[in-house]
Amino acid sequence: MRKLRMPKIVPDYKNREKIILRDFLALERTTLANERTLFAYIRTSLYLILGGIAFLKMESLQNIQWLAYLSFGISFLMIIYGLIRYFKLKRKLQKFYDEDSMKPFEEEQKQDDE
């Protein structure tokens, strides 16, 4: 079975320099932004579910009941897409958090503490 891939907009970044405090803090901000984006996808998905339930329960809107099922489907797709994006970016960020990248930062911190 062929694997679906998201198109790349920019090429993968290769870190060739030691990580400094500014870069470490930028990675932390990016990680937090990634989590906020996932929560936004979850929140939007829940609102679509609530809207779908409202359409199903209103007796005067029986002729557009299909809109409720469409809302459920879009909600499911949105949560899946949000999770895929979250884990994909988390995996990319993890490359910068590995031991080799963090050692120069930790050594610099030890020197500053002494």
Side-chain angles (χ1 to χ4, degrees):
M1 185 170 166
R2 195 170 165 180
K3 189 175 181 182
L4 291 175
R5 294 183 186 215
M6 300 282 282
K8 286 188 178 184
I9 298 172
V10 294
D12 288 336
Y13 175 75
K14 302 287 187 210
N15 187 17
R16 294 185 180 90
E17 300 173 3
K18 75 175 192 173
I19 189 168
I20 59 175
L21 179 61
R22 180 186 64 223
D23 299 332
F24 178 75
L25 293 175
L27 285 172
E28 289 296 313
R29 283 191 303 271
T30 305
T31 301
L32 293 172
N34 190 28
E35 291 173 2
R36 281 192 308 270
T37 304
L38 175 64
F39 290 141
Y41 276 107
I42 292 170
R43 182 179 58 241
T44 305
S45 178
L46 289 174
Y47 284 140
L48 284 170
I49 289 172
L50 288 175
I53 291 171
F55 274 123
L56 282 177
K57 294 297 179 181
M58 293 185 75
E59 294 177 9
S60 62
L61 298 176
Q62 291 295 326
N63 56 346
I64 59 169
Q65 201 173 27
W66 60 270
L67 197 57
Y69 297 114
L70 179 67
S71 177
F72 292 143
I74 291 173
S75 171
F76 177 74
L77 292 176
M78 187 168 286
I79 194 82
I80 296 299
Y81 182 71
L83 287 170
I84 289 171
R85 280 192 52 168
Y86 172 76
F87 285 113
K88 189 172 184 177
L89 184 59
K90 185 177 179 181
R91 192 172 346 124
K92 282 184 180 181
L93 289 173
Q94 195 62 40
K95 291 178 187 177
F96 297 107
Y97 281 114
D98 66 355
E99 290 297 321
D100 295 334
S101 296
M102 295 304 293
K103 282 182 183 176
F105 175 72
E106 291 168 354
E107 291 170 2
E108 187 176 301
Q109 287 297 100
K110 286 179 185 176
Q111 291 174 358
D112 290 343
D113 291 340
E114 294 172 355

